[in-house]
């Protein structure tokens, strides 16, 4: 293991001020937030920040030496365009440390209007290779890319060698099995998707039905899952139900499970990953506190002694308790998963 | 409006691909998109083969566009895309920003459906890079399309998905291999067994999606045949029909006749029933969920996948 391994920043989510404070207090290096105006991919009722709250969050973070990133990662259509522009102008006024964007039109606006604003390329931009990342760097001067959760570890290593920008990867949280920014499954079923509305399998489309065969979850009339009496029921994210393919009933797309890269931390550090990101701006303050604290401990332990780093069994157990499906996977980073 | 045939999204044997395009030579199609856009392991047809097919179609009077891969991860995939970009003869459809990085400012290119062009500013940006046509992302409804058409750069053509299974998602994971408990790296090219993809059903036994390797499609066919007047009114230049293993020339004929006033849309709709085993949908056009069918005359909603 290289002794020159760089420190990896821990980027944590916050859906409101208490969660932001919790992330700061538990050791995040940066917090990412979204405005409450439908301009980001966690457009849920009661979530996100007003401009004033964002200012207060920024102040609290700055006082503690922590950075603030603002996620604006939907693809605004004509009727949403002005709101998106207002949000960018506000982000510049608040002086966030970075703006996380997916839409090329918005990046172009930023480059022309706020050339000093640091841009990160959102995972929703689906940049999975050297040339795509270079495109955004050359065209809009993006400084960091958040990689989609589709690359294997060796592919991540290769990308880092070949691109002139920092690389951030997802380290923990719910797992998108599809390439982010290229999935319209949710709008096909509900009319709203991450790209169009900042939501996947939105709550307003969810319906539950108690039947003789057990509890059933629906998304807009499509049966996503059927649970036996003793089975715990999960949120009906449409790619995580059991379906029939050639008479076999199974999780045809993906199991309800979370991504957890703790065991790969030494590899990620050695290959030059700049930051790992925790998914979950929609999650509670308690969740953010606990995940931030554990990942902080893990990153510090790994940084001080990468050669002997083994994830603590307690960390894994605690994170599994918080995880979707109470279990975890390395996802696409581990080739056999693919 | 012109008719195009999109790239074949399934894995077919080499001879079937050649036969398919031979049939198109005599058809009323104006534009043909060629190439593998889904999985780089599908190598029944090489770039040399594609160029030969392109040559034959050109001789038959068709405009040919070479399409590139959608999800690009490996160096070999970048390199193949580079060769396609530098073919020197045919326009290229970019399906990943990596392709636009190669083509932009160098030669006219088509913005494929998997480039997220959701607003006029993005379209303008690509126009400045010499894009000559954009394929509307499937999620966009007619109101957005209408507003984008009003601000469309001069000379930019617009193309819309008019018939076929909607391309909805891509993944690192191969779902066809997974259905056979095979790892992706030793998939035994199982996709060859499913010339129209592998249907997936809900636990209520309703058809839901089509698994096609790393791609997921709608099980219902998007069908805009009753909306062609509205499509035309928005100044859309090209309607795209997606390849399926059977009935392609008949489908093209039906659309051609409707476009030329030789068949009523209602008659066409009935005739197209034979080619939509799992139903039809058009919800996206109306800005609603893509899976529903909205009867154009009565605006009655009908759920193709209802419980």
């Amino acid at each position: 293991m290289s002794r020159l391994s760089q420190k990896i920043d821990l980027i944590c989510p916050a859906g409101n001020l208490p969660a932001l404070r919790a992330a700061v207090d538990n050791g995040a290096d940066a917090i990412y937030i979204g405005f409450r105006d439908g301009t980001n991919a966690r457009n849920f009722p009661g979530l996100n920040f007003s401009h004033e709250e964002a200012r207060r969050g920024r102040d609290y973070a700055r006082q503690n030496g922590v950075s603030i990133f603002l996620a604006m990662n939907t693809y605004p259509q004509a009727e949403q365009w002005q709101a998106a522009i207002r949000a960018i102008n506000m982000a510049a006024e608040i002086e966030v440390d970075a703006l996380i964007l997916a839409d090329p039109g918005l990046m172009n606006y930023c480059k022309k209007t706020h050339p000093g604003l640091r841009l990160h390329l959102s995972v929703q931009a689906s940049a999975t290779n050297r040339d795509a990342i270079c495109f955004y760097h050359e065209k809009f001067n993006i400084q960091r890319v958040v990689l989609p959760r589709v690359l294997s570890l060796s592919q991540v290593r290769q990308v880092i060698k070949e691109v002139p920008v920092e690389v951030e990867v997802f380290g923990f949280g719910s797992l998108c099995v599809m390439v982010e920014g290229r999935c319209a499954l949710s709008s096909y079923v509900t009319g709203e998707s991450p790209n169009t509305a900042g939501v996947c399998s939105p709550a307003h489309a969810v319906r539950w039905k108690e039947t003789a065969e057990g509890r059933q979850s629906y998304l807009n009339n499509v049966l996503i899952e059927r649970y036996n009496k003793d089975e715990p029921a999960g949120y009906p994210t449409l790619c995580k139900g059991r379906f029939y393919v050639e008479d076999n009933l199974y999780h045809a797309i993906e199991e309800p499970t979370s991504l957890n890269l703790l065991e790969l931390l030494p590899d990620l550090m050695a290959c030059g990953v700049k930051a790992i990101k925790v998914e979950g701006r929609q999650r509670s303050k308690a969740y953010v506190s606990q995940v931030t604290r554990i990942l902080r401990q893990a990153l510090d332990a790994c940084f001080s002694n990468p050669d002997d780093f083994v994830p603590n069994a307690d960390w894994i157990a605690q994170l599994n308790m918080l995880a979707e499906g109470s279990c975890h996977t390395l996802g696409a980073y581990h080739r056999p998963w693919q | 409006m012109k008719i195009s045939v999109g790239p074949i999204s399934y894995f077919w044997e080499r001879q079937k691909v050649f036969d398919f395009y031979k049939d198109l030579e005599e058809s009323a199609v104006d534009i043909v998109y060629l190439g593998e856009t889904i999985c780089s392991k599908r190598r029944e047809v090489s770039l040399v083969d594609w160029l030969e097919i392109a040559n034959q179609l050109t001789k038959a009077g068709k405009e040919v566009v070479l399409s590139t891969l959608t999800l690009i991860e490996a160096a070999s995939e970048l390199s193949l895309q580079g060769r396609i970009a530098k073919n020197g003869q045919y326009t290229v459809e970019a399906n990943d920003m990596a392709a636009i990085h190669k083509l932009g400012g160098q030669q006219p290119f088509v913005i494929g459906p998997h480039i997220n062009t959701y607003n006029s500013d993005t379209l303008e940006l690509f126009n400045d890079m010499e894009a000559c046509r954009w394929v509307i992302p499937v999620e966009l409804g007619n109101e957005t399309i209408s507003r984008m058409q009003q601000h469309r750069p001069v000379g930019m053509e617009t193309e819309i998905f008019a018939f076929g299974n909607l391309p909805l998602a891509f993944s690192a994971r191969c779902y066809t291999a997974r259905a056979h408990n095979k790892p992706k790296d030793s998939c035994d090219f199982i996709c060859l067994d499913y010339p129209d993809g592998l249907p997936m059903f809900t636990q209520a036994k309703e058809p839901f999606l089509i698994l096609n390797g790393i791609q997921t499609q709608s099980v219902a066919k998007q069908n805009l045949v009753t909306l062609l007047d509205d499509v035309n009114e928005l100044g859309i230049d090209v309607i795209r029909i997606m390849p399926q293993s059977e009935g392609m020339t008949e489908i093209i004929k039906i659309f051609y006749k409707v476009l030329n006033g030789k068949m009523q849309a209602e008659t066409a709709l009935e005739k197209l029933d034979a080619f939509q085993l799992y139903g039809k949908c058009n919800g996206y056009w109306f800005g609603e969920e893509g899976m529903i069918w909205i009867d154009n005359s009565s605006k009655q909603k009908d759920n193709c996948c209802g419980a």
Side-chain angles (χ1 to χ4, degrees):
Chain A
M1 196 64 59
S2 164
R3 294 284 162 208
L4 297 172
S5 292
Q6 65 172 358
K7 187 172 164 289
I8 297 183
D9 285 347
L10 176 59
I11 318 295
C12 293
N16 53 39
L17 270 173
L20 181 146
R21 290 195 194 99
V24 170
D25 296 347
N26 284 283
D29 294 300
I31 319 286
Y32 67 105
I33 65 171
F35 284 144
R36 194 181 296 143
D37 56 5
T39 57
N40 67 85
R42 289 290 183 280
N43 180 20
F44 300 165
L47 199 72
N48 294 316
F49 288 69
S50 67
H51 297 161
E52 182 48 34
E53 287 163 344
R55 269 199 193 91
R56 284 162 59 196
R58 172 209 61 189
D59 289 345
Y60 188 77
R62 291 261 165 86
Q63 285 156 17
N64 290 278
V66 173
S67 302
I68 285 282
F69 302 161
L70 185 84
M72 275 191 55
N73 47 5
T74 52
Y75 289 87
Q77 296 172 43
E79 68 272 22
Q80 304 147 331
W81 184 259
Q82 285 311 321
I85 293 300
R86 274 196 301 276
I88 288 180
N89 294 341
M90 184 51 64
E93 196 185 312
I94 294 175
E95 295 182 336
V96 295
D97 296 286
L99 189 54
I100 308 170
L101 291 180
D103 184 77
L106 290 183
M107 284 181 234
N108 205 31
Y109 171 81
C110 270
K111 191 189 163 203
K112 286 181 186 160
T113 317
H114 305 290
L117 193 51
R118 181 182 163 96
L119 298 185
H120 290 186
L121 189 63
S122 168
V123 69
Q124 296 298 128
S126 306
T128 56
N129 58 72
R130 173 196 70 204
D131 288 3
I133 296 164
C134 286
F135 169 84
Y136 289 101
H137 176 64
E138 288 166 22
K139 206 83 192 156
F140 313 114
N141 195 29
I142 63 128
Q143 296 296 306
R144 180 182 295 188
V145 57
V146 185
L147 291 180
R149 284 161 275 192
V150 296
L151 299 178
S152 67
L153 182 61
S154 66
Q155 287 168 335
V156 171
R157 195 176 287 131
Q158 195 59 30
V159 164
I160 291 172
K161 275 187 200 154
E162 295 181 339
V163 299
V165 299
E166 298 169 353
V167 168
E168 179 175 318
V169 300
F170 275 90
F172 183 80
S174 288
L175 177 66
C176 260
V177 63
M178 300 303 180
V179 189
E180 296 89 338
R182 282 180 170 169
C183 180
L185 289 175
S186 182
S187 63
Y188 179 65
V189 175
T190 73
E192 292 182 334
S193 74
N195 283 1
T196 63
V199 291
C200 172
S201 310
H204 66 74
V206 173
R207 238 171 7 97
W208 295 93
K209 215 188 221 174
E210 301 294 340
T211 72
E213 293 150 305
R215 175 180 285 191
Q216 299 183 342
S217 62
Y218 291 84
L219 263 186
N220 209 4
N221 295 340
V222 177
L223 177 58
I224 302 298
E225 191 54 287
R226 185 179 272 166
Y227 299 94
N228 295 324
K229 293 221 154 45
D230 50 349
E231 254 182 318
Y235 190 87
T237 305
L238 69 85
C239 58
K240 294 184 178 176
R242 275 172 291 197
F243 300 99
Y244 281 105
V245 180
E246 295 188 326
D247 296 328
N248 295 317
L249 179 66
Y250 65 108
H251 289 106
I253 300 176
E254 172 63 324
E255 292 89 358
T257 180
S258 275
L259 181 73
N260 183 342
L261 296 192
L262 278 196
E263 64 181 272
L264 295 183
L265 285 185
D267 299 291
L268 297 173
M269 206 173 267
C271 71
V273 163
K274 175 66 185 167
I276 65 168
K277 180 170 212 157
V278 174
E279 182 276 344
R281 281 188 289 127
Q282 74 283 17
R283 306 297 288 258
S284 68
K285 175 189 159 192
Y287 175 94
V288 171
S289 303
Q290 209 166 346
V291 174
T292 305
R293 187 168 60 244
I294 294 169
L295 287 178
R296 179 77 272 155
Q297 288 171 12
L299 281 166
D300 289 347
C302 183
F303 185 64
S304 61
N305 190 2
D307 294 341
D308 297 322
F309 176 78
V310 180
N312 184 319
D314 281 349
W315 300 339
I316 300 287
Q318 287 179 54
L319 290 175
N320 278 350
M321 301 249 293
L322 298 166
E324 183 181 5
S326 302
C327 58
H328 71 270
T329 171
L330 292 174
Y333 295 91
H334 182 53
R335 186 78 188 177
W337 175 93
Q338 301 189 12
Chain B
M1 286 188 291
K2 291 182 271 193
I3 300 177
S4 78
V5 167
I8 298 169
S9 52
Y10 311 109
F11 191 27
W12 294 350
E13 277 153 9
R14 185 172 180 275
Q15 192 54 49
K16 182 172 172 58
V17 173
F18 273 83
D19 292 347
F20 178 84
Y21 288 113
K22 189 80 202 151
D23 288 347
L24 289 195
E25 287 177 20
E26 300 300 315
S27 75
V29 158
D30 302 285
I31 306 164
V32 183
Y33 290 81
L34 297 177
E36 177 57 48
T37 59
I38 311 293
C39 175
S40 59
K41 292 177 71 180
R42 297 175 176 178
R43 292 182 199 137
E44 281 281 304
V45 183
S46 67
L47 180 55
V48 173
D49 289 334
W50 286 122
L51 291 171
E52 188 189 325
I53 294 168
N55 188 27
Q56 292 303 320
L57 286 165
T58 306
K59 278 186 192 155
K62 312 300 179 194
E63 177 191 334
V64 169
V65 180
L66 300 181
S67 296
T68 60
L69 202 64
T70 304
L71 173 58
I72 296 183
E73 298 163 298
S76 57
E77 294 165 349
L78 276 177
S79 140
L80 176 60
Q81 181 196 249
R83 284 167 60 208
I84 294 169
K86 285 188 190 139
N87 79 84
Q89 197 174 353
Y90 300 103
T91 306
V92 174
E93 177 189 69
N95 281 313
D96 184 80
M97 225 42 123
I100 294 188
H101 185 250
K102 284 241 165 52
L103 297 161
Q106 304 293 318
Q107 62 194 79
F109 64 96
V110 177
I111 307 159
H114 304 298
I115 299 292
N116 288 335
T117 313
Y118 280 62
N119 50 61
S120 297
D121 283 58
T122 299
L123 191 57
E124 188 67 45
L125 177 79
F126 293 139
N127 182 62
D128 292 345
M129 301 173 72
E130 290 187 43
C132 57
R133 183 185 298 149
W134 70 296
V135 186
I136 302 170
V138 297
E139 291 186 298
L140 297 186
N142 65 31
E143 281 179 24
T144 289
I145 298 168
S146 168
R147 290 180 68 170
M148 287 179 74
Q149 287 294 87
Q150 285 164 26
H151 300 283
R152 175 169 56 155
V154 176
M156 176 75 73
E157 287 191 328
T158 305
E159 178 165 342
I160 193 166
F161 266 87
F163 190 83
N165 302 90
L166 289 163
L168 294 177
F170 292 82
S171 173
R173 172 175 273 176
C174 176
Y175 301 113
T176 314
R178 181 177 169 85
H180 286 263
N181 279 317
K182 291 174 191 293
K184 182 178 163 191
D185 287 338
S186 42
C187 66
D188 295 335
F189 305 108
I190 193 77
C191 286
L192 273 177
D193 292 351
Y194 303 101
D196 291 293
L198 177 57
M200 183 183 102
F201 298 80
T202 70
Q203 292 187 55
K205 299 288 173 82
E206 297 279 354
F208 182 25
L209 297 169
I210 294 278
L211 305 177
N212 173 38
I214 65 158
Q215 188 196 38
T216 311
Q217 302 177 335
S218 68
V219 82
K221 305 264 182 194
Q222 164 132 312
N223 184 339
L224 300 187
V225 79
T226 56
L227 296 164
L228 293 179
D229 286 343
D230 300 346
V231 170
N232 191 37
E233 225 164 82
L234 292 194
I236 291 169
D237 308 274
V238 184
I239 57 168
R240 175 176 288 206
I241 300 175
M242 289 305 285
Q244 49 185 58
S245 70
E246 304 291 336
M248 203 58 195
T249 48
E250 289 90 333
I251 295 166
I252 293 165
K253 238 178 246 165
I254 292 168
F255 273 86
Y256 179 77
K257 282 184 178 170
V258 176
L259 283 184
N260 289 279
K262 290 177 183 151
M263 188 187 283
Q264 293 291 317
E266 288 68 29
T267 313
L269 193 61
E270 276 171 32
K271 287 189 182 294
L272 286 169
D273 262 343
F275 307 104
Q276 359 181 87
L277 179 59
Y278 298 116
K280 58 188 183 292
C281 62
N282 61 7
Y284 276 137
W285 172 262
F286 297 97
E288 308 255 358
E289 53 270 35
M291 69 177 181
I292 60 174
W293 173 260
I294 296 176
D295 189 333
N296 198 27
S297 44
S298 60
K299 293 273 192 292
Q300 286 272 317
K301 278 194 196 182
D302 181 20
N303 191 336
C304 85
C305 196

